[in-house]
Amino acid sequence: DKTIRLWNTVGEVKKVYSDKPHSEWVTSVAITPSEAAEETLVLSAGWDNKVKAFKLLDGSHVADMEAHTGPVNSVVVSPDGTVAASAGKDGKVCLWKLTGEDKFTVSHTFDCGDHTINALAFCPTRFWLAAATNKGVIVFDLPPRPLSLSSTLLSPLTPRLRRSPSASLPLLPP
């Protein structure tokens, strides 16, 4: 039904996020970590080429984050909650700012060519972003984070592609 539902651990629907829902299927959902519940966001990715942001507590729509030219398969949030990443069938990984005056804007885009990106994951201890594609796994080694947030957050970025020593997948060229 193209909505997002918040369930409790015993299988009861506690909230339906239906304020300005996706026009196509929802493919991925992420929740930002926050000390204050009123600041917590629910992010969703969909086949309508959008990432949407909603307030956790009241379910109100906060933003449509549009940068993809194809269905968005995955959305994830960095461990510190300041950045979200989205990716999909257009072969692009978009990094979104989740703080500051330019909140919900793209800070950087990685073009992975003809790779369809099916899933993303941030490393919890390092600023790495892994992308599972139809051709293998790409790991972006993002630069160290600044101590204070500023308008230059995550810029410039220099992705370096690597593979796990135990992986049998080919190393993708930078």
Side-chain angles (χ1 to χ4, degrees):
D1 63 3
K2 303 171 186 136
T3 60
I4 301 160
R5 298 173 191 274
L6 180 65
W7 300 73
N8 65 14
T9 57
V10 294
E12 300 168 334
V13 175
K14 301 308 281 183
K15 185 170 296 303
V16 176
Y17 297 85
S18 57
D19 180 25
K20 298 185 182 178
H22 285 274
S23 61
E24 297 292 335
W25 293 107
V26 176
T27 55
S28 181
V29 178
I31 298 176
T32 60
S34 178
E35 294 288 325
E38 60 274 359
E39 295 174 11
T40 303
L41 298 173
V42 175
L43 303 178
S44 61
W47 281 6
D48 56 3
N49 308 352
K50 295 179 184 175
V51 175
K52 290 182 171 270
F54 301 89
K55 290 184 181 179
L56 175 71
L57 290 182
D58 67 9
S60 62
H61 177 260
V62 177
D64 280 341
M65 299 152 64
E66 300 181 57
H68 289 281
T69 58
V72 184
N73 292 332
S74 184
V75 62
V76 294
V77 177
S78 64
D80 67 0
T82 62
V83 177
S86 62
K89 291 193 175 195
D90 62 0
K92 291 185 174 54
V93 175
C94 296
L95 297 182
W96 302 89
K97 296 178 184 180
L98 296 180
T99 60
E101 291 179 19
D102 50 357
K103 189 175 188 175
F104 306 123
T105 61
V106 173
S107 64
H108 195 78
T109 302
F110 298 109
D111 187 350
C112 298
D114 63 349
H115 293 253
T116 295
I117 301 164
N118 299 308
L120 295 170
F122 273 105
C123 174
T125 58
R126 292 185 170 81
F127 208 56
W128 292 346
L129 178 65
T133 78
N134 61 326
K135 297 182 179 184
V137 174
I138 303 171
V139 176
F140 298 95
D141 185 2
L142 306 176
R145 301 296 304 269
L147 293 176
S148 63
L149 300 176
S150 69
S151 61
T152 60
L153 180 66
L154 300 177
S155 182
L157 294 174
T158 308
R160 284 166 268 171
L161 306 180
R162 302 176 183 203
R163 70 171 173 200
S164 166
S166 64
S168 61
L169 297 171
L171 179 64
L172 300 169

